Amino acid sequence: MRRPASAFASALLTLAACGGGDDAPPVPDAPPTPMVSTDHCDYVDVAPTAGAGGTVSAGTLTAGAAEAILEVPVGTALGGYTARAGFGGDAGTVDDRRVKLTGAFNASVGVTNAPRVKAVALTAGDETVVILKLDVVFVYEGLLFDLEERLGAAYHGKVIIASSHSHSGWAQFTGHAALKLGAGELRDVVYQRFLDQLESTAQAALAARRPAKLGVHVDTTFDPDDVITRDRRDDNDDLMGGSRKDDQLVMIRIDGVDDAPIAIVPIYGVHGTLNSEDNPMASSDAPGAVERTLEEQFDDEVVVMHLNSAGGDVSPVGHGGVDCDLQPGRATDPCLEWTKEEGHGRAAMPTLYAAWQAAGAGMQTSLPLEMLTRSIELGPYPETFSIRDGALTYAPFDAVTEPDGVIVDGSGALVSPIDEFNAPVGAALCEDGEPLFPGAAIPATEGLTPYGSCLRLDVAGEIMGPIFDIDFGITPTAPLCESTRTTITALRLGEYVLETMPGEVTVMIKDQVRAQSPVAADKTIVVGYAQGHVGYLLTPEDWVRGGYEPSITFWGPLEAEHIVEQAATLMPLATTDTREDGAAGGLARVATRIADDGLQIDDPAPMAGTVPATVPAETWVRSGTPATAQPATTVPRVAGLATFVWYGDDPLVKTPSVRLEVESAPGVWAPVVRRSGRQVIDQELVLSYTPQPLRRVGTDPLTHVWALEWQAVPWQGAVDVDGLDARGGVPLGNYRFHVEGDGWTLDSDAFAVVPGGLEAQVTATTTTTATVTIRWSAPKGWRTLDLSLPSNRPVPVRSQPVTVRMLSGVAVVGTATGATDAQGSIVADGGVPLAAVTSLEVEDRFGNVTTVPLAAVAAAAPRAARTRPSARR
């Protein structure tokens, strides 16, 4: 979750700090020595671990996997950036729409790479476990316990829910009030959709179980050249282990005993932040791009489920992109760099595929399996956080005692007890510099990094609650209930132990988990962003370095290591031959929050399932409002865009299911499928939504306008034309869009994909030869054309066969064939004097043709030579 933009911070300071601003809520006075209690919290006993009291032994393995699109109403806020929080900024806005669903947050407007839920079910002997992953920014532990209840008593303590940490995933599903600043207000319609699809996907994976074998490969020198990920936190580079990223890749390979793949589970740390806060479209971001690219290396629908590890201080590396300075029509064509997602997946694929191959060695058909889940205590009592056998503790929390101002001693070690974190109900935004609200600062910490910028949650909550329309429910004596507990899980997987951590694990915390594990470090698998969320997890020495990461924590420098020590007591239980009750060593959990939406739903929606005669002027499509609702009759390759607009359902009823279809025989239409057999339903298809009018007037129903956009380049997983060297090779033919709504279907008019997208330039000539540079060009496209150059500028047709014809008028007087070089250039010699040639006709290997007049070559060549792709690089 990212901090508010600087403009937002300035606005809040003007509004609220020290009572500034006529309409600002007053900063309450800090009470003397508060007596903090959790009596106001609604706690629920955690059910005993299923199967407790039995015996663990190796059993024959069966496994199943499933996946589904996470169908959440378009308009739901996207999680991860507070700058999308309405008052906090206009990030992600495209027009003046206001959607009641999102409350104070800016509404999403559509879907690109649809967020998904994925599940893997494993059974060995009498133990069955289910691992699920959601493409969201974090996990709300209420989902975990509610899902276990739905699945039944046999699954108590046997379910893991992890998140991809996509900052473009759906939000508004959490009851954790403080985390709502990056996720929006909880909506029951969203929460129930999440829960329904978690349940159905888990059940599908369980139903798909069949005899299986499992292998694990561990790479402890993962991605040394930073092709896939990079270290993003330099504040801790002076600490041992701080100047590196998550360099451990764990690859779990699950095949049927018939060798057909069932699931692939790569585990390594990475943020889902290739898309910025300005992206208004739901996406699975970098982790989803990796999954999709790896999935399309197979001829079957193998489920690839990336699990995050130490992603807290690791960023994804984007490949490709767009040139925002050259983006045409910026007012209606925002700079959305979705190209980096596809480029990231393509760049990561060789490393991950090699790890999958390596995991095939020594696969097991029988192994011991055990999972235990526990609710553990966090705040508000300082003695809870005593770590390292009491060597590091907090001084009492009383909100008034001034600290001694000494953070480290002469040797650089932390001084204990720590008296700077004097926040009886917790604090956040502990970073650098001045506090956002000086009235909410911890007493007498001015100038002490990062304590001096901390905001006490009780005071900050009173200020920020009305601004964001969030009820934090925090007082000087009553902490935020969700901050008082979190959940951890240990899973024995043969000779490996997998431990979940409820937040953004940093590399040094991962090292601590591995060091305290009952098995070897290379047999310990750490999965972050799972089972709950407390923010960033840093060692105490790392936390006091400041920087961004400590700002999203609630119980100061000792919180994360306290969780590690609790995990260290749980992991050994998973390695014994007895099935223990993991819940018995823990505490009651916080009850799931309940939301009452009170939303108006248009059901049925006006004109749903029809095509407008005229496209409403405010219809938002990434490339601009289409002139017509139906696609153009012809769409050229590469640069061509096919669009379709229709009236559909209220998003609260149904997000339309869409797919690309091809005419396989006259009048016979079939879904376009990828190599894996999956239909083309997203990624290449951009789905956008516009309510009409943009804001509901009274209780009048809205007209719900939906639009699709497709760029005519090969879909990922297209057979024989899937590489970036085949961008001009989308199969020719007739296509259409198929839409399914709530009880209705709709097909667009057919459109023909025709050759196109090629451009050429003569950069030098002799009397008989011409140096021709050949490029694909898509100035309004969003698909990745090159891993190093902007995809909205012409990119070289690299190292490919081409044909150059010398024309005199329309007659061919000479022909040259050959391959372009790495800059897309070829020296064409047609065996005739160029004085007799009026133009050159260039054809690529897919039959795309472009013509270059020679009349202007002499004048243009010097300028052209200065703008060759090699010069731009």
Side-chain angles (χ1 to χ4, degrees):
M1 195 165 65
R2 299 298 297 174
R3 184 175 179 165
S6 58
F8 172 44
S10 298
L12 283 180
L13 282 170
T14 301
L15 176 67
C18 300
D22 293 339
D23 299 322
V27 177
D29 294 329
T33 317
M35 300 298 292
V36 178
S37 169
T38 61
D39 290 346
H40 66 294
C41 295
D42 186 7
Y43 293 120
V44 178
D45 288 338
V46 178
T49 303
T55 301
V56 181
S57 60
T60 301
L61 179 68
T62 62
E67 64 181 7
I69 286 180
L70 193 55
E71 294 188 2
V72 171
V74 171
T76 299
L78 305 179
Y81 291 110
T82 306
R84 294 188 181 124
F87 180 89
D90 61 359
T93 61
V94 299
D95 51 33
D96 293 329
R97 72 183 68 192
R98 179 58 60 193
V99 179
K100 186 175 181 181
L101 170 69
T102 61
F105 274 65
N106 301 329
S108 60
V109 302
V111 181
T112 55
N113 298 318
R116 284 168 163 77
V117 54
K118 300 193 174 187
V120 172
L122 302 174
T123 296
D126 57 359
E127 180 85 330
T128 295
V129 303
V130 182
I131 305 172
L132 298 110
K133 195 283 299 282
L134 288 165
D135 285 322
V136 295
V137 68
F138 52 69
V139 171
Y140 173 45
E141 66 179 20
L143 285 168
L144 170 69
F145 294 105
D146 287 350
L147 177 61
E148 287 186 354
E149 286 300 315
R150 283 199 179 190
L151 293 176
Y155 295 94
H156 288 158
K158 305 302 180 182
V159 176
I160 291 174
I161 302 178
S163 71
S164 67
H165 197 53
S166 169
H167 280 48
S168 292
W170 306 115
Q172 299 193 254
F173 59 87
T174 181
H176 193 305
L179 295 177
K180 291 177 184 179
L181 289 174
E185 185 56 77
L186 173 66
R187 296 299 187 198
D188 188 61
V189 65
V190 177
Y191 188 84
Q192 294 302 326
R193 296 275 185 94
F194 271 49
L195 197 54
D196 289 347
Q197 290 181 281
L198 283 166
E199 180 186 13
S200 62
T201 309
Q203 294 287 15
L206 289 164
R209 284 173 294 173
R210 56 192 176 91
K213 54 186 177 180
L214 183 148
V216 180
H217 171 70
V218 179
D219 179 359
T220 57
T221 57
F222 171 61
D223 189 37
D225 297 323
D226 291 354
V227 173
I228 305 170
T229 62
R230 61 175 177 82
D231 178 18
R232 76 172 204 166
R233 177 168 167 80
D234 56 11
D235 305 272
N236 61 6
D237 284 354
D238 62 317
L239 297 175
M240 182 175 296
S243 60
R244 75 180 208 276
K245 65 178 184 181
D246 188 358
D247 52 12
Q248 183 196 55
L249 163 68
V250 176
M251 176 64 74
I252 300 177
R253 173 175 174 171
I254 305 169
D255 292 352
V257 293
D258 58 358
D259 295 329
I262 295 173
I264 301 171
V265 186
I267 306 172
Y268 61 90
V270 63
H271 255 69
T273 50
L274 286 176
N275 291 307
S276 73
E277 61 195 20
D278 292 322
N279 173 50
M281 311 287 278
S283 170
S284 54
D285 209 275
V290 164
E291 291 174 338
R292 296 182 188 204
T293 305
L294 192 54
E295 285 169 349
E296 295 309 319
Q297 308 309 307
F298 300 89
D299 297 325
D300 301 300
E301 289 194 36
V302 55
V303 172
V304 178
M305 182 171 71
H306 169 264
L307 295 178
N308 227 316
S309 191
D313 43 2
V314 179
S315 288
V317 177
H319 295 272
V322 296
D323 188 334
C324 293
D325 292 334
L326 295 183
Q327 195 79 359
R330 284 294 300 279
T332 57
D333 188 5
C335 187
L336 302 175
E337 298 188 278
W338 304 328
T339 52
K340 289 183 178 180
E341 289 185 42
E342 184 178 350
H344 176 82
R346 290 183 180 275
M349 190 275 294
T351 297
L352 299 183
Y353 188 78
W356 174 81
Q357 291 177 308
M363 298 184 75
Q364 297 176 284
T365 58
S366 177
L367 49 77
L369 190 67
E370 183 182 13
M371 183 187 290
L372 305 103
T373 296
R374 174 174 292 172
S375 176
I376 63 172
E377 185 174 22
L378 298 177
Y381 306 114
E383 56 270 21
T384 300
F385 298 99
S386 177
I387 62 173
R388 302 181 188 177
D389 293 327
L392 275 180
T393 62
Y394 286 133
F397 297 160
D398 63 15
V400 293
T401 301
E402 294 189 3
D404 58 16
V406 181
I407 298 175
V408 297
D409 62 21
S411 68
L414 295 179
V415 174
S416 181
I418 294 172
D419 56 4
E420 290 80 15
F421 192 78
N422 190 352
V425 294
L429 295 185
C430 305
E431 191 171 349
D432 300 304
E434 299 296 322
L436 196 60
F437 313 130
I442 297 175
T445 57
E446 182 179 0
L448 298 177
T449 298
Y451 299 101
S453 62
C454 290
L455 301 182
R456 288 172 42 200
L457 291 182
D458 53 331
V459 184
E462 288 196 34
I463 300 169
M464 300 176 78
I467 295 171
F468 293 99
D469 193 23
I470 293 172
D471 180 9
F472 290 95
I474 312 172
T475 73
T477 60
L480 174 65
C481 295
E482 283 78 13
S483 75
T484 68
R485 299 285 192 273
T486 193
T487 302
I488 56 176
T489 291
L491 167 65
R492 179 183 182 183
L493 197 63
E495 60 183 330
Y496 294 85
V497 171
L498 183 153
E499 176 62 38
T500 68
M501 294 294 284
E504 307 202 36
V505 180
T506 54
V507 171
M508 288 187 288
I509 283 292
K510 178 175 179 176
D511 289 345
Q512 287 195 350
V513 176
R514 296 166 69 195
Q516 297 190 41
S517 172
V519 299
D522 64 349
K523 304 293 185 184
T524 303
I525 304 169
V526 180
V527 174
Y529 304 94
Q531 306 295 70
H533 198 76
V534 302
Y536 282 88
L537 298 170
L538 303 104
T539 66
E541 290 79 7
D542 194 2
W543 194 94
V544 300
R545 290 298 194 277
Y548 170 72
E549 286 74 14
S551 70
I552 310 299
T553 59
F554 303 111
W555 292 108
L558 305 187
E559 179 180 28
E561 200 162 311
H562 161 68
I563 296 173
V564 172
E565 292 190 356
Q566 294 299 303
T569 68
L570 184 64
M571 286 188 287
L573 301 182
T575 65
T576 69
D577 293 334
T578 300
R579 294 201 183 280
E580 294 88 353
D581 179 7
L587 302 174
R589 66 176 179 89
V590 180
T592 302
R593 292 274 182 162
I594 304 298
D596 181 12
D597 294 345
L599 303 173
Q600 180 176 335
I601 301 175
D602 300 318
D603 187 17
M607 296 183 287
T610 65
V611 178
T614 302
V615 178
E618 292 179 320
T619 300
W620 189 86
V621 178
R622 182 205 59 91
S623 56
T625 303
T628 61
Q630 294 288 358
T633 56
T634 61
V635 177
R637 285 167 163 167
V638 184
L641 303 177
T643 58
F644 180 44
V645 180
W646 69 96
Y647 294 123
D649 299 303
D650 186 331
L652 292 169
V653 173
K654 181 176 175 58
T655 295
S657 301
V658 299
R659 70 180 182 225
L660 182 65
E661 294 187 338
V662 64
E663 191 175 30
S664 57
V668 179
W669 294 89
V672 174
V673 296
R674 310 179 192 275
R675 174 182 174 180
S676 66
R678 294 173 171 86
Q679 296 182 9
V680 176
I681 56 178
D682 66 331
Q683 183 177 353
E684 290 80 15
L685 300 182
V686 175
L687 176 69
S688 58
Y689 165 73
T690 309
Q692 292 287 304
L694 294 177
R695 302 188 182 201
R696 192 184 293 273
V697 178
T699 59
D700 293 347
L702 298 174
T703 301
H704 302 278
V705 182
W706 296 85
L708 270 181
E709 185 178 10
W710 177 63
Q711 182 182 353
V713 298
W715 45 91
Q716 194 157 15
V719 178
D720 299 329
V721 286
D722 190 19
L724 293 182
D725 62 347
R727 296 287 84 179
V730 63
L732 303 176
N734 293 327
Y735 293 81
R736 73 179 186 186
F737 300 121
H738 177 76
V739 181
E740 296 182 4
D742 185 33
W744 53 267
T745 62
L746 183 65
D747 295 311
S748 75
D749 290 350
F751 56 91
V753 172
V754 298
L758 203 66
E759 69 172 41
Q761 190 174 43
V762 177
T763 57
T765 60
T766 68
T767 56
T768 59
T769 66
T771 301
V772 185
T773 300
I774 305 159
R775 306 181 184 96
W776 284 313
S777 179
K780 298 279 281 185
W782 74 91
R783 291 294 308 284
T784 306
L785 302 185
D786 194 277
L787 292 184
S788 58
L789 297 176
S791 292
N792 62 334
R793 297 185 69 169
V795 301
V797 179
R798 306 176 189 272
S799 307
Q800 295 194 45
V802 295
T803 299
V804 180
R805 302 181 185 90
M806 281 67 176
L807 304 181
S808 178
V810 297
V812 177
V813 296
T815 301
T817 59
T820 58
D821 61 18
Q823 284 71 47
S825 298
I826 183 174
V827 178
D829 186 347
V832 297
L834 289 190
V837 176
T838 58
S839 61
L840 302 181
E841 183 182 80
V842 180
E843 182 177 355
D844 68 10
R845 64 188 175 106
F846 302 109
N848 302 305
V849 177
T850 189
T851 301
V852 186
L854 283 184
V857 167
R863 290 192 296 274
R866 287 196 296 271
T867 60
R868 290 180 299 174
S870 57
R872 287 203 303 272
R873 295 184 71 189

